[in-house]
Amino acid sequence: LPFGYLSDVLSVKSVLIFASATQILGNFAYTAATSPSGLVAARIVAGFGSATMSVCRAHVARAVPRKDRTGHFAYLSALQFVGFAVLPGVGGVLARIPAAGSVGMLNLNGLTYPGFALVAMHAVSIGAL
């Protein structure tokens, strides 16, 4: 999806809320998947919601004076690379938590805890917007 363009036409806030809601839907579906095809479909949905770097870069280009943009773009890139470095380890730690059984249709185990953590993180991000 052309989120960068949509943030110009609509607003940065509305596009980020839509992207986070899409992430919540995809990651929740990931935690509830009962087949490999359901898992792939859930990851595709989550993937659509993850293309927000263009929105952030478009916002910096629009909102920050030209002389200050390099620092802001460096900050965005640093956050992205910290996420690439740290989050796989967080997922590994969450995967080692013992299974807690099921609550209704939801399985609580090492394979689903990372998905629930991502659902919570995106819910908090929507609240912060």
Side-chain angles (χ1 to χ4, degrees), residues 30-31 39 91 94-97 99 107-116:
Y30 161 77
T31 65
L39 184 62
L94 290 173
R96 295 195 179 276
I97 298 173
N107 292 317
L108 303 173
N109 59 50
L111 298 176
T112 60
Y113 292 143
F116 286 121

Side-chain angles (χ1 to χ4, degrees), residues 23-84:
Q23 281 280 334
I24 288 171
L25 178 67
N27 285 304
F28 190 75
Y30 161 77
T31 65
T34 57
S35 68
S37 59
L39 184 62
V40 169
R43 297 311 299 154
I44 288 171
V45 171
F48 280 119
S50 67
T52 57
M53 201 58 169
S54 62
V55 177
C56 296
R57 289 185 176 136
H59 178 65
V60 167
R62 182 175 42 251
V64 176
R66 187 176 300 245
K67 66 182 178 71
D68 298 328
R69 285 185 194 157
T70 301
H72 283 78
F73 283 126
Y75 180 70
L76 284 175
S77 295
L79 286 174
Q80 182 181 24
F81 288 114
V82 166
F84 289 155

Side-chain angles (χ1 to χ4, degrees), residues 11-29:
S11 71
V12 171
K13 182 177 180 178
S14 63
V15 172
L16 290 176
I17 288 172
F18 174 78
S20 288
T22 304
Q23 281 280 334
I24 288 171
L25 178 67
N27 285 304
F28 190 75

